[in-house]
Amino acid sequence: MSTVVAQSLHVFGLRSHVANNIFFFDEQIIIYPAGNHCVKYNMDQKWQKFIPGSDKSQGMLALSISPNRRYLAISEIVQEKPVITIYELSSIPCRKRKVLNSFDFPVQKFISMAFSPDSKYLLTQTSPPESNLVYWMWEKQRVMAVVRTDSQNNAAYQVSFNPQDNSQVCVTGNGMFKLLRFAEDTLKQTNFQRGEPQNYLAHAWVSEDKIIVGTDTGKLFLFESGDQRWETSIMVQEPTSDSRSLGVIEESESLIAFPTSSPVPSFEQVIMTTSYSQLALPQVFAIAAYSKGFACSAGPGRVLLFEKMEEKDFYRESREIRIPVDPQSNEPSQSDKQDVLCMCFSPSEETLVASTSKNQLYSITMSLTEISKGEPAHFEYLLYPLHSAAITGLATCIRKPLVATCSLDRSIRIWNYESNTLELFKEYQEEAYTVSLHPSGHFVAVGFADKLRLLNLLIDDIRPFKEYSVRGCRECSFSNGGHLFAAVNGNVIHIFTTTSLENILSLKGHTGKVRSVVWNADDSRLISCGTDGAVYEWNLSTGKRETECVLKSCSYHCVTVSPDAKMIFAVGSDQTLKEIADSSILREIPAFDVIYTAIIISHSGRMMFVGTSVGTIRAMKYPLPLQKEFNEYQAHAGPITKMLLTFDDQFLLTVAEDGCLFTWKVFDKDGRGIKRERAVGFAEEVLITKTDMEEKAQIMVELKTRVEELKMENEYQLRLKDMNYSEKIKELTDKFLQEMESLKTKNQVLKTEKERQDVSHREHIADLLDKQSRELQDLECCNNQKLLLEYEKYQELQLKSQRMQEEYEKQLRDNEETKSQALEELTEFYEAKLQEKTTLLEEAQEDVRQQLREFEETKKQIEEDEDREIQDIKIKYEKKLRDEKESNLRLKGETGIIRKKFSSLQKEIEERTNDIENLKGEQVKLQGVIKSLEKDILGLKREIQERDETIQDKEKRIYDLKKKNQELEKFRFVLNYKIKELKRQIEPRENEIKVMKEQIQEMEAELERFHKLNTQLELNITELRQKLRATDQEMRKERQKERDLEALVKRFKTDLHNCVAYIQEPRLLKDKVRALFETYVQRADMVEIAGLNMDLQQEYARQREHLERNLATLKKKVVKQSELHRTDYVRIMQENVFLIKEINELRRELKLTRSQVFDLEAALKLTKKLRPQDVPETVPSEAMPSIAPTMRLNEQEETGRIIEMQRLEIQRLRDQIQEQEQIPGLHPLTGIRLPSLLESEADLEVETK
């Protein structure tokens, strides 16, 4: 192994597309992913500690921390296979506890994870198309259960455990909200989705059985035990003008939206692309629960806090938190156009931390949200503004501890690697491809897509002072002395001086794009490499190539030179590190299946560092070893783009396409730092323009004078307003005291009236209760008598049923004896027959055997004769075939040779003619192309000249307009500030006046309401008294009616019971029903006609209002009850009729079976009894088969069983009818009653006898 060691110190960056990418370890330390590491960051002490990813990891996908904060689970892809690594956070440094990498189920990657409340189990969700939910006991690496969450290839976004229950889990995704419970080694779904499926993006448990779920349409749902309890929609709100104008608007190029940072877009970023194209509904990407409620993202740059309502189990919006406007951005509105993807509360719920889609981290203290009422609160940067896209350029200087980076997010950032802070940053319209810091650290060269610019690094700004028309400059570099800098334009390298800022040299020779340039120690030579596979060493005094090494099969990415300028080191696409000297490759060191993308050698010449396409860093000792001797470190989650060592070889700086900047401390293996004594310390000077200084001094003086004037004005206005308010308050207090006294007197009067009414009502209720108790006692006595009668009847029926059972048992025994005798006689008869038949069969078999022997002998003789004839014929024809085949083969050979010769000659002729024609056509085309290209070249040259002239004119105009715009913006800002200050002074007093006026209006409205309520109450009391009197009279009459009707109903019941006894005699039943109709129906009509009296009609007219309210409800109840009883009785009657039919059929079958048994016995001469003449429909004995008696005996047993079952069913139905008759208010619709069991059994006995 190599003796060179690199230790990661600090990282500037975040990977936002990792699921669940931020959480708290304790109150001060947060954990988030950056590069291929997880970072533990202390917010107070500002230190970082790293948890590196697995070896050969291709990037993290999801994180999860256990509830006890001891374990961290990381989902990764290692060598194209999914792996889950669980780290123990309590140990220092964090060590691997378990690695889950062997799976019995199909999986591509794990996209979400969650620990159980006791941290013993782990829940993981795989990506489509498998979409498996896996329940692990992770310490034993055992899968407890696997279930497929979706079969339609919809993505699942989040999984979680119930915070109080290990066995309950939740899964949300596109069209998916599932609650599952772990039981009996399986996960079973416990809820059922109702309504239209939504795209559920996030969820959070707010209690043991309640879950808040957010969708992509801005809706929030509260589910309790799987059922929806509450729903709300988040409204879209545009930011106010005040929030847009916050902060100092400074000079900057215009800004556009950040691109996404991750090379593999996550589901949030896919949805984001649609949301910015049109004003869509806010999407809820993140929900975080806390003790008072929950916080949720509500569209770009917006978070809402919801608090639980005290009375109900619902939530209301309590506060809005916004991402602040960026003061250093030219277009501040762009800063809040980023979605919050993940949120987390600290253990004490004091701070809320959020990560966004543009790789930014924000925090807010919850106490501030409660203070700022009315206006939305604003987040603050947790660290500093970070890059949100791939970093393309990296540079450092000598005189200051600064690092400059540029990115595809159109920004330039200046970092301090000693204090680990962001010094400056600026955003532009164009993408920045390369950056280089002057050794002094005072200015920087940046290659944009349109131009190359030189920028001054001021105290609080980055300002351009020179522009060059070098389009798409992908590489630029200051010399070590700082007097020259090189800029690449395609395949040409331009050399400029920093004194006169002129182009002194243009180095041409590369045929492909130049990818890297490096200066030697004394700045006399420049080394370059490109995609054309060439490495050139240029002499800057002559402007010519001194050495060259071309290998066209390799596209070079980076080049560096040893401190003594004797060796050149280059890396490229052929997976090797080349050591070049004197225009020849001395050595090629293999990269072992990776591509080297960057290389740097230390100033001491003892160390070398190489960056790879998989994001790792390799540290080697120089001179390079022959074997695989290097230390490899996990660093970035994408290909490394640039690497640098500081001038003193103390720190290594690396950037990559994942948008992260890493700083590494370089050591020997023994632990010694590589010491280089600095002659002079770092410079502390900063640049500032004279105009800025003067303007700030003037603003300071003006603001001081303005503050003094405003103080005087405020004091005077406050005195006047205090006087006015004190007078108004006295008047209002007097008025309210008078009104309060009047209301008290009215209240007392109302209370006395209420007490009187309470006393009267109590007395009335006591009377009613007494009456009710008497009536209940009477009813109980009547019912007890009826029950005694019914019980006596029941005992009699029981005795009869026992007798019947005994008789049936005797009959069954007799039948069994007869059956056994018949069976014995039949078996003896059939056995004799079988013996006769067997003797006949044996004789027939012997005859068949003799015939078979004779047939086989004749067959053998015939076959032998035929075989001899066939062999003779075969021999003859085989001879003829051989002769003809030999002649055919000779002829075929001759024809084949002739055909080949002919076809080859024809092909040669056709190819020659085609070649001639093609050459002629190509000649004509090339001549035309040459002429057209010559014309195009002339035209393009003219256009280039004209456009260069117009560009210069427009650039001058733009420069003048920018200066004017800057002055106007400064003036506008001063005026806006003055206007705001004046408004702030006026607004508080006006608001107080408005509040007092509103209070007065509310008090007056309350007084009016009290007056109205009093009048209404008096009217209501009078109405209620009148209604009470009317209802008393009505009650008396209704009771009398009820008694009469009850007597009539009792009489009707007794008559109807007598009528039901004739149910099997239709004529008598008909007469009885007619008699009932004549007696009761006509009498009832007469009673109704006689009862209609004029007094009743008058009472009905008076009480119509009261009755109309109750009538509708009573009608509905009566209709429903009558319909139910009708259906029940009709059903019972149908069943009774069906059962009677079945009994009759069974009786007939019994008669038939008995007659058949008798006939069979007579045929077999077993009995000499004559057949009784009573049995009709006998079957002749000759027609029946001999096995029929035994079969019929089995059927007889079955019929006996069926009869027993039917009897039990009839008894059950009768019991039901009796129970329903006993219920008051329920009467049968028909007078039909089933015959008693005794009657039906007696009939059956008569028929059988």
Side-chain angles (χ1 to χ4, degrees), residues 1002-1064:
E1002 287 173 0
M1003 294 295 284
E1004 287 174 354
E1006 282 179 1
L1007 276 169
E1008 287 176 2
R1009 267 184 252 132
F1010 280 125
H1011 286 306
K1012 288 178 182 176
L1013 283 168
N1014 287 329
T1015 53
Q1016 284 179 358
L1017 288 166
E1018 286 172 359
L1019 290 167
N1020 287 331
I1021 289 159
T1022 53
E1023 283 177 2
L1024 290 165
R1025 281 174 183 167
Q1026 290 173 359
K1027 285 179 182 177
L1028 273 168
R1029 288 170 193 163
T1031 50
D1032 288 334
Q1033 291 175 1
E1034 202 173 45
M1035 284 286 286
R1036 288 168 195 159
K1037 290 175 182 176
E1038 289 294 322
R1039 279 175 188 161
Q1040 188 63 38
K1041 274 186 187 179
E1042 192 178 355
R1043 287 168 195 159
D1044 297 334
L1045 288 167
E1046 281 176 356
L1048 194 138
V1049 166
K1050 284 177 185 176
R1051 272 183 260 130
F1052 181 79
K1053 275 184 181 178
T1054 54
D1055 291 339
L1056 197 140
H1057 188 71
N1058 294 327
C1059 185
V1060 169
Y1062 300 96
I1063 196 161
Q1064 289 189 346

Side-chain angles (χ1 to χ4, degrees), residues 520-521 525 561-567 603 605 622:
N520 69 345
R525 292 174 187 173
V561 66
S562 61
D564 57 2
K566 290 180 180 178
M567 291 289 179
H603 297 89
Y622 186 76

Side-chain angles (χ1 to χ4, degrees), residues 936-1132:
D936 291 338
I937 288 160
L938 291 168
L940 288 166
K941 282 180 179 177
R942 289 172 192 164
E943 282 181 4
I944 288 161
Q945 288 176 358
E946 290 171 0
R947 286 183 182 178
D948 285 334
E949 290 172 359
T950 54
I951 286 162
Q952 287 175 0
D953 295 332
K954 284 180 180 177
E955 283 175 351
K956 287 177 183 177
R957 286 181 190 173
I958 289 161
Y959 186 74
D960 296 330
L961 288 167
K962 279 181 183 174
K963 284 185 177 177
K964 287 180 184 178
N965 194 17
Q966 288 169 10
E967 292 172 359
L968 289 167
E969 280 178 350
K970 289 172 185 173
F971 187 68
R972 189 187 71 180
F973 176 75
V974 173
L975 290 172
N976 283 337
Y977 187 81
K978 290 179 181 177
I979 290 159
K980 282 180 189 174
E981 290 294 326
L982 291 167
K983 280 182 181 177
R984 285 175 189 162
Q985 293 168 9
I986 294 160
E987 279 174 0
R989 293 298 177 186
E990 286 179 350
N991 291 330
E992 286 176 4
I993 291 160
K994 283 180 185 175
V995 170
M996 295 300 284
K997 282 180 180 176
E998 286 172 359
Q999 287 178 356
I1000 291 159
Q1001 288 174 358
E1002 287 173 0
M1003 294 295 284
E1004 287 174 354
E1006 282 179 1
L1007 276 169
E1008 287 176 2
R1009 267 184 252 132
F1010 280 125
H1011 286 306
K1012 288 178 182 176
L1013 283 168
N1014 287 329
T1015 53
Q1016 284 179 358
L1017 288 166
E1018 286 172 359
L1019 290 167
N1020 287 331
I1021 289 159
T1022 53
E1023 283 177 2
L1024 290 165
R1025 281 174 183 167
Q1026 290 173 359
K1027 285 179 182 177
L1028 273 168
R1029 288 170 193 163
T1031 50
D1032 288 334
Q1033 291 175 1
E1034 202 173 45
M1035 284 286 286
R1036 288 168 195 159
K1037 290 175 182 176
E1038 289 294 322
R1039 279 175 188 161
Q1040 188 63 38
K1041 274 186 187 179
E1042 192 178 355
R1043 287 168 195 159
D1044 297 334
L1045 288 167
E1046 281 176 356
L1048 194 138
V1049 166
K1050 284 177 185 176
R1051 272 183 260 130
F1052 181 79
K1053 275 184 181 178
T1054 54
D1055 291 339
L1056 197 140
H1057 188 71
N1058 294 327
C1059 185
V1060 169
Y1062 300 96
I1063 196 161
Q1064 289 189 346
E1065 297 176 3
R1067 289 178 185 176
L1068 288 171
L1069 195 140
K1070 192 176 180 182
D1071 294 334
K1072 292 284 181 184
V1073 169
R1074 276 181 185 171
L1076 277 172
F1077 181 80
E1078 286 169 3
T1079 54
Y1080 289 99
V1081 173
Q1082 290 175 1
R1083 196 182 297 169
D1085 291 339
M1086 292 299 291
V1087 169
E1088 284 177 3
I1089 291 157
L1092 289 168
N1093 203 2
M1094 290 299 292
D1095 294 331
L1096 287 169
Q1097 287 177 356
Q1098 287 174 3
E1099 285 293 326
Y1100 180 79
R1102 288 174 196 165
Q1103 296 172 9
R1104 191 190 301 165
E1105 291 178 1
H1106 178 70
L1107 291 169
E1108 279 176 354
R1109 293 172 189 168
N1110 298 327
L1111 194 61
T1113 55
L1114 290 168
K1115 277 182 180 177
K1116 288 177 185 176
K1117 287 179 182 176
V1118 168
V1119 168
K1120 284 180 183 177
Q1121 287 177 356
S1122 63
E1123 284 176 358
L1124 287 167
H1125 297 315
R1126 277 176 195 162
T1127 52
D1128 287 339
Y1129 282 115
V1130 168
R1131 181 176 57 76
I1132 291 161

